[in-house]
Amino acid sequence: MLKTKLGFTYPLGNSVHAEGVNFAVYAPNASEVTLCLFEGPVASELAQIKMNKREGGLWTLFVESAREGTLYGYRADGDYDLAEGLFFNKNKLLLDPYCKDIQGEFTWSERHYCHLPVGEFNVNDNAIDMPKSRVFRPKPYSGNRPNTAWQDTFIYECHVKGATQTLEAIAANKRGTFLGLCEYSFITHLQQLGVTAIELLPVQAFISEQFLTTKGLQNYWGYNTLSFFVPHKAYCVHGDITEFQQMVATLHAHNIEVIIDVVYNHTAESGIDGPMLSMRGLHNRGYYRMLQAPESVFINDTGCGNTINIDDPITLRLVIDSLRYWVQYMGVDGFRFDLATILGRSNEGFNGQHAFFQALSQDPVLTQVKLIAEPWDVGPGGYQLGAFPPPWREWNDKYRDVVRRFWRGDSGTLPELAKRIHGSNDLFEHNLRGPLNSINFLTSHDGFSLSDWVSYEHKHNDANGESNCDGHSENYSFNCGIEGHTDDPDVISKRRKLQINALVTLFMSKGVPMICAGTELNHSQNGNNNAYCQDNETSWLDWKNVNETQDLINPISSLMKIRSQLSTFKHPFFVHAEDARFAVLWYNKCGQIMSDMDWHDEGNKTLIYVLADLIESSSVLVILHADDTETEIQLPDPPFSSCWEAVYSSEENFEVGQFPSSLALTGQSAWILLSHNEETTDGSEKV
């Protein structure tokens, strides 16, 4: 006979004590909540114990014989009322929204569904197909954090599995896991590039949608969350979630931060005909946004079936508690919020002063980490680039698009390109933010890889099983004359040069640079620009593709080194004419300051600019020549020396050299030149 008592209302979830385990769950409209205990390798149900209803919709129970490792779940009984959004069904085992660990696999079956009334068609028990919540006592993270300033940050967006799945330098059992990411060979690779932070695609426990599994596919990216607290167990070598902490600690020891991509906009429970897995069976109308006319309909601002109701205090608390847990216990340094507009939207629309933003801004833990928004979703008023409050950073797709268009050869792009290179002050300065609030990128997990951007004019997503109807149709891409793979050396050379051109633009722009993993390996997805379900060689990085004539490891490394030496990219504010230290100057091909006529010349495809530090007496001259014809330009007078020193070019046969007055540009090329005092005040040579 299990000995139990009333229990405590705080904290939610399970908490381990010397004499047993406390369980607390929020289910305000339930008539009864039952704690179900399981044991053994096949998780046989050991007991069902009614919980105690407490003030404020909480249910508690203290089980004296329970210990760490105990497996459990909840069953909630109550009304089934479609019009009111109530789906209570005691036949459905529910995952604890606050559990920190799970055990067992999720299996799709009709037993999970709850959109029919309880009766003949909805009495099947789903426990056999559900993972079980596991009592786990986490230990706070104790490693030293790099605390890299935004001005020094270079982000590498990668997938836990895809990054190392084929890396033979790593033991086979560690490839594609958290531990694989902290192996010496991978860390050395990141350091060679100059990376200071990895941004991991979702690492919170997720499942694949049934429409994918029926086609033999999987949700590879992971944007289908099952638990906001549990690391994805498939990324653990031994099923031990502390491996995530080990990964973070090892990366931190090498001065690499860990940012995780989080999905607080929807869950794997999907829409009205989705499965009942956790929150839906406990407090459906509180956790999810719904309409009621004449029956409840899930608001779908995500395109995934449901939308988290961040307006509800208990949902807001869940999200904040989850974020704090990943910082304090898992050791992460920041978050990239998927479809972040949803977290600032109430019934009246997006609000930069939403309670979610206020809760973050006053939290002593979360104010110390990096916060990055994907500032759009598919809901009303969903595009909110530039509207997030300080200190948020935002993925800048306007930067991505204009750089792609410029190097594709589109006319009339110079004014827009200059804004983005300057840090997008038109987007961020209005609310006292600076250029470092812009996350600049050329490609991400979503869309073409950089290699495919110059190899495909059209998406090729047939392998996704959606008749090539998924994914964006406008990618501002081009194929250099041949669609897809080719052995033509001229086309291969041209594609590599154009990728380097885009990378020169990225690293010579104000803002925080980010690249997608595989950019440096010339990774191709064979034209698939929506490889979310391709858990195979399409998405996995091909480490055998390391070849100096094709990969971009050395160009990226060189560009990051140049960038890191220039103070102009560390300046946190936008530069205007009255700035006493920094200057931004734009020139035409005659070496003169750009006129209005120059800016509005739609045929002009050459952008020349100087970024100068007047105190350090150093400046960088960047030349971006997207025209495919050779052009000789006059260089502006070097401000701090007798001539400009060319230190980098996408030109294949480029050699470092000095250019006093003019430069012959080859077609579609990018150049970086420096001017600085030959000696510092202490007499040492200037780098």
Side-chain angles (χ1 to χ4, degrees), residues 2-3 54-55 107 146 155 184 229 239 306 353 392 399 502-503 517 522 550 566 595 598 606 685:
L2 294 171
K3 293 184 65 175
R54 308 294 297 278
E55 182 180 358
T107 304
I155 299 172
Y184 175 79
F229 292 88
N306 60 34
Q353 301 301 314
W392 282 74
Y399 178 93
L503 289 166
N522 197 35
Q550 295 185 26
L566 297 171
S595 65
D598 292 325
T606 306
E685 184 178 349

Side-chain angles (χ1 to χ4, degrees), residues 485-499:
H485 176 76
T486 180
D487 294 322
D488 187 319
D490 292 334
V491 174
I492 292 173
S493 177
K494 182 177 182 180
R495 288 174 175 176
R496 185 174 189 272
K497 183 179 181 181
L498 285 163
Q499 291 180 72

Side-chain angles (χ1 to χ4, degrees), residues 45-234:
E45 194 159 4
L46 172 68
Q48 293 190 4
I49 313 169
K50 292 183 180 180
M51 300 184 73
N52 303 293
K53 188 173 184 179
R54 308 294 297 278
E55 182 180 358
L58 294 168
W59 299 77
T60 66
L61 188 69
F62 192 96
V63 182
E64 294 187 6
S65 61
R67 296 290 182 266
E68 184 171 8
T70 296
L71 304 180
Y72 71 99
Y74 298 123
R75 299 182 188 274
D77 204 0
D79 293 337
Y80 178 95
D81 189 334
L82 192 62
E84 295 297 325
L86 301 175
F87 298 95
F88 290 110
N89 188 334
K90 63 183 179 181
N91 300 302
K92 309 305 177 187
L93 185 73
L94 306 173
L95 204 65
D96 184 350
Y98 272 83
C99 70
K100 308 304 190 296
D101 194 9
I102 58 177
Q103 182 171 310
E105 300 293 329
F106 172 83
T107 304
W108 276 106
S109 77
E110 73 283 354
R111 289 181 281 269
H112 294 299
Y113 294 104
C114 63
H115 55 284
L116 298 174
V118 179
E120 181 181 355
F121 301 106
N122 202 10
V123 297
N124 292 323
D125 192 314
N126 72 331
I128 192 174
D129 298 316
M130 279 291 291
K132 311 304 183 291
S133 305
R134 181 179 180 274
V135 174
F136 175 69
R137 175 186 279 178
K139 295 180 180 179
Y141 180 75
S142 59
N144 294 322
R145 300 172 186 265
N147 293 318
T148 306
W150 276 113
Q151 64 188 32
D152 299 315
T153 297
F154 170 27
I155 299 172
Y156 183 86
E157 189 205 26
C158 72
H159 187 280
V160 173
K161 182 174 183 179
T164 65
Q165 182 67 18
T166 70
L167 185 51
E168 294 182 355
I170 296 176
N173 68 322
K174 291 184 179 180
R175 295 174 199 163
T177 69
F178 296 130
L179 295 184
L181 292 180
C182 61
E183 283 287 297
Y184 175 79
S185 57
F186 186 71
I187 289 178
T188 301
H189 176 73
L190 296 178
Q191 291 176 324
Q192 181 181 358
L193 293 174
V195 168
T196 68
I198 59 171
E199 182 178 301
L200 301 177
L201 268 68
V203 296
Q204 296 175 345
F206 62 87
I207 61 174
S208 295
E209 298 88 341
Q210 190 174 31
F211 79 88
L212 288 176
T213 61
T214 56
K215 294 187 289 187
L217 299 172
Q218 300 292 322
N219 188 319
Y220 172 71
W221 287 350
Y223 294 95
N224 198 42
T225 309
L226 179 65
S227 170
F228 290 145
F229 292 88
V230 182
H232 192 57
K233 301 296 285 281

